[in-house]
């Protein structure tokens, strides 16, 4: 399992593009915001969580480098960059 921190905005197109991207891959993925966990491939699930903060994404595969490369625009690189 791989875990990364991502940032999504409330903009519909941003979330729609993210869901379209992750649906191209066969891996199971979850997004965790606080105590809530939703399927990363569910647009309705994503809009039900708090998108104002970074979100923890769990990918249930150890061989998902292709997905991680595609997710680079969404991945939070370093908390120091957020300040």
């Amino acid at each position: 399992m791989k875990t990364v921190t991502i940032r999504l905005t409330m903009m519909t197109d941003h979330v729609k593009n993210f869901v379209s991207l992750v649906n191209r891959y066969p891996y199971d993925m979850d997004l965790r915001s606080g105590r809530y966990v939703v399927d990363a491939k569910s647009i309705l699930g994503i809009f039900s969580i708090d998108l104002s903060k970074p979100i923890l994404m769990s990918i249930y595969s150890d061989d998902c480098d292709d997905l991680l490369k595609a997710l680079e625009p969404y991945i939070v690189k370093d908390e120091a960059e957020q300040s």
Side-chain angles (χ1 to χ4, degrees):
M1 180 172 93
K2 301 250 179 160
T3 304
V4 294
T5 302
I6 63 167
R7 181 176 294 280
L8 296 172
T9 64
M10 285 297 292
M11 293 176 40
T12 305
D13 288 342
H14 194 239
V15 174
K16 183 179 165 187
N17 291 339
F18 173 82
V19 171
S20 177
L21 173 76
V22 296
N23 271 298
R24 294 183 209 147
Y25 296 87
Y27 317 117
D28 289 329
M29 305 168 230
D30 289 330
L31 297 177
R32 182 178 314 269
S33 176
R35 64 180 195 178
Y36 298 101
V37 179
V38 298
D39 184 346
K41 296 181 179 184
S42 168
I43 196 164
L44 290 176
I46 292 172
F47 278 121
S48 71
I49 60 176
D50 181 9
L51 298 179
S52 67
K53 300 175 187 155
I55 304 163
L56 194 63
M57 180 175 189
S58 299
I59 305 163
Y60 299 99
S61 173
D62 289 327
D63 186 27
C64 58
D65 292 336
D66 52 345
L67 172 61
L68 292 173
K69 182 157 180 60
L71 286 173
E72 282 182 3
Y74 301 96
I75 294 176
V76 175
K77 303 292 186 208
D78 185 355
E79 287 299 320
E81 293 176 10
Q82 298 299 313
S83 301

